[in-house]
Amino acid sequence: MSKSMYDAVVVGSGPNGLAAAIVMQQAGLSVLLLEGKNELGGGLRTAELTLPGFRHDICSAIHPLATASPYFQTLPLAQYGLEYITPPVAAAHPFDDGTAAAAVHSLVDTARRLGPDAEAYRSLLAPLIDSWPGIANDVLAPLHFPKHPLDMARFGLPALLPATALARRFRGEKAKGLLAGMAAHAIQPLSNLTTSAVGLVLLIAAHRGGWPLPKGGSQAIADALVAHFRALGGTIETGTFVRSLAQLPPAKAVLFDVTPTQLLQIAGHSLSSIYQWQLRRYRYGMGVFKVDWALAAPIPFTAPECAQAGTVHLGGTLAEIAAGERAAAQGQHPDKPFVLLAQQSLFDATRAPAGQHTAWAYCHVPNGSRVNRTDAIECQVERFAPGFRERIIGRHTFDTAQMESYNPNYVGGDINGGLLDINQLFTRPALRASPYRTSQRGLYLCSSATPPGGGVHGMCGYHAAKRALRDVFRLPASPLFIE
Ligand SMILES: Cc1cc2nc3c(=O)[nH]c(=O)nc-3n(C[C@H](O)[C@H](O)[C@H](O)COP(=O)(O)OP(=O)(O)OC[C@H]3O[C@@H](n4cnc5c(N)ncnc54)[C@H](O)[C@@H]3O)c2cc1C
């Protein structure tokens, strides 16, 4: 490892590490970005997991949060080849009768397909879609007094509710199921407070800009961020897994794109005992079991909306999805798990050889589970797409332990960097004036274990870096929140 002196070192090159490194470099500092693996990008990597010519997103696949990110929007990533493709249907939600709900760009068209709930759906989403630009800066940030209190109240009141409670606005199974599928991205029982927040953010994103996927795979986002960082003068070293502070070159600030568990291992001795105690109490959520397929032909979904959708939510009714998520949170493996599926190659020909396809799917499982869920996931796909299994020509799976060994940030298979329930929502990773500061001056956390949490948006890294710039480098009052 380089032993030169840097102003700042960032450990970990996920979207948050990359965002933090770019913010610091933009401020004119000298920044070293260290990555444990040989490839950069963290949750933004793409590889031939199954057969030659089939390119699979190893972790993240669909990027409404990246395109909605107030910080990423300020970066010239298109100049470095990043091109988003937006499928006509953001997410389809098929039912056993062969029909489907579909979140499309038009709020009116989405609502119309929800039959008796058309007006209830429209009146819930319309004001939130309009006020999202103001809400985004408040939601994608650490806890603070909102800059747009009225807009935030309009969002916060329904967002605080459990998804099962918000769904009572609706009469029909289509609207309830659609909301349940969105809220299940919270990776918690749908009866938990605030599960509606995740569902609403994803629906708002569907109606504002759609749910895009990067041409060539999620790696393209990392490649563009890396190219921009390098163009600004940043330095990168890969293949350097950091196990202790002693490994690091001298620097005034170190930002860790890792979870509290890893921070304790790397820097525990330098942290105050109260802060160590807080980090040890940090809780992780459910894990995931993931399958990637190489397919001889597209997935033969019965409902036509699914063929237009980048993402398909497989779980049927609200009652079934809620029961499945509750069971997994309680340590069980339900027969019919809720499955999140993406079919990137339908819209991006670079993902598979001509005429052939890829698909990506996962379900939630108890944290640390070693149970193989391939059959349960494939049964759910087959249920809504009879004949699916005959099209499989290659398969790759990840259980929670394989996920964690691939990327130690996925503790027990938790892809969100920690549980985002009401108890941790405002205290991630520990109850402190700034969630990014550790107890040791100059050491910061910048991963998805800090606000605003999981997903590819870079806002954890952005806010952590801004904090470090103010604390350590006394850089002038550049606003903590982007206007
Ligand atoms: C299966 C799956 C599906 C997902 N789907 C989506 C999706 O569709 N859309 C979305 O927005 N999000 C999705 N996510 C979540 C998203 O990928 C994460 O929330 C995001 O990547 C977190 O970013 P991060 O920078 O905090 O950490 P990470 O992306 O996890 O990056 C951390 C980096 O730090 C490195 N590192 C860790 N420890 C060390 C160390 N000690 N020394 C050196 N390097 C180290 C790791 O190798 C890694 O490169 C998904 C995640 C998974 C796993």
Side-chain angles (χ1 to χ4, degrees), residues 127-162:
L128 304 180
I129 295 166
D130 292 342
S131 45
W132 175 250
I135 300 172
N137 279 328
D138 283 329
V139 170
L140 296 174
L143 187 62
H144 63 284
F145 187 79
K147 293 224 167 209
H148 304 273
L150 286 180
D151 289 342
M152 197 55 195
R154 201 175 290 129
F155 171 77
L157 291 174
L160 274 173
L161 293 173

Side-chain angles (χ1 to χ4, degrees), residues 341-363:
L341 181 143
Q343 35 187 11
Q344 299 93 320
S345 63
L346 286 184
F347 311 96
D348 178 2
T350 68
R351 308 294 185 104
Q356 300 182 308
H357 286 274
T358 59
W360 160 117
Y362 67 85
C363 73

Side-chain angles (χ1 to χ4, degrees), residues 46 52 98 119 150 340 425:
T46 304
E119 182 47 29
L150 286 180
L340 298 95
L425 184 62

Side-chain angles (χ1 to χ4, degrees), residues 37-366:
K37 293 189 92 76
N38 292 326
E39 307 81 29
L40 296 160
L44 285 171
R45 297 190 187 105
T46 304
E48 292 181 345
L49 294 176
T50 55
L51 299 172
F54 291 83
R55 292 186 53 75
H56 303 275
D57 290 323
I58 301 174
C59 305
S60 65
I62 305 293
H63 292 288
L65 298 178
T67 50
S69 162
Y71 181 56
F72 285 170
Q73 281 174 5
T74 67
L75 302 179
L77 301 181
Q79 275 178 29
Y80 301 101
L82 178 59
E83 191 182 324
Y84 284 108
I85 300 166
T86 306
V89 176
H93 189 115
F95 293 90
D96 286 319
D97 64 0
T99 65
V104 298
H105 184 253
S106 158
L107 176 63
V108 173
D109 288 349
T110 304
R112 193 184 307 124
R113 293 165 204 238
L114 300 176
D117 293 310
E119 182 47 29
Y121 182 83
R122 200 205 56 75
S123 62
L124 173 65
L125 268 301
L128 304 180
I129 295 166
D130 292 342
S131 45
W132 175 250
I135 300 172
N137 279 328
D138 283 329
V139 170
L140 296 174
L143 187 62
H144 63 284
F145 187 79
K147 293 224 167 209
H148 304 273
L150 286 180
D151 289 342
M152 197 55 195
R154 201 175 290 129
F155 171 77
L157 291 174
L160 274 173
L161 293 173
T164 45
L166 186 63
R168 287 193 202 114
R169 283 172 171 246
F170 303 130
R171 288 181 283 153
E173 290 301 345
K174 281 223 169 77
K176 288 178 194 234
L178 180 66
L179 177 66
M182 297 287 165
H185 285 251
I187 321 187
Q188 295 173 52
L190 301 190
S191 51
N192 278 12
L193 285 168
T194 70
T195 41
S196 293
V198 172
L200 288 172
V201 167
L202 291 175
L203 284 169
I204 294 166
H207 296 309
R208 284 190 63 87
W211 286 12
L213 48 102
K215 185 173 180 190
S218 293
Q219 182 77 52
I221 303 178
D223 291 349
L225 289 165
V226 166
H228 185 49
F229 176 61
R230 285 202 165 112
L232 291 168
T235 308
I236 296 179
E237 280 185 28
T238 56
T240 306
F241 193 83
V242 175
R243 292 192 166 77
S244 95
L245 292 180
Q247 271 177 272
L248 300 177
K252 294 181 193 122
V254 183
L255 287 83
F256 286 96
D257 187 9
V258 307
T259 70
T261 304
Q262 297 146 274
L263 184 69
L264 280 168
Q265 290 159 1
I266 297 168
H269 61 281
S270 69
L271 305 174
S272 72
S273 49
I274 176 103
Y275 187 63
Q276 287 187 48
W277 176 80
Q278 286 180 305
L279 295 188
R280 277 196 294 271
R281 285 166 55 89
Y282 188 72
R283 289 172 304 126
Y284 295 89
M286 286 186 263
V288 303
F289 185 94
K290 177 168 184 267
V291 191
D292 287 281
W293 297 282
L295 301 169
I299 301 177
F301 282 111
T302 307
E305 291 86 347
C306 297
Q308 300 291 309
T311 301
V312 186
H313 289 157
L314 303 170
T317 63
L318 163 75
E320 183 183 321
I321 296 170
E325 292 300 288
R326 190 181 328 112
Q330 290 172 346
Q332 298 158 28
H333 297 85
D335 290 342
K336 292 182 176 179
F338 173 64
V339 173
L340 298 95
L341 181 143
Q343 35 187 11
Q344 299 93 320
S345 63
L346 286 184
F347 311 96
D348 178 2
T350 68
R351 308 294 185 104
Q356 300 182 308
H357 286 274
T358 59
W360 160 117
Y362 67 85
C363 73
H364 301 144
V365 294

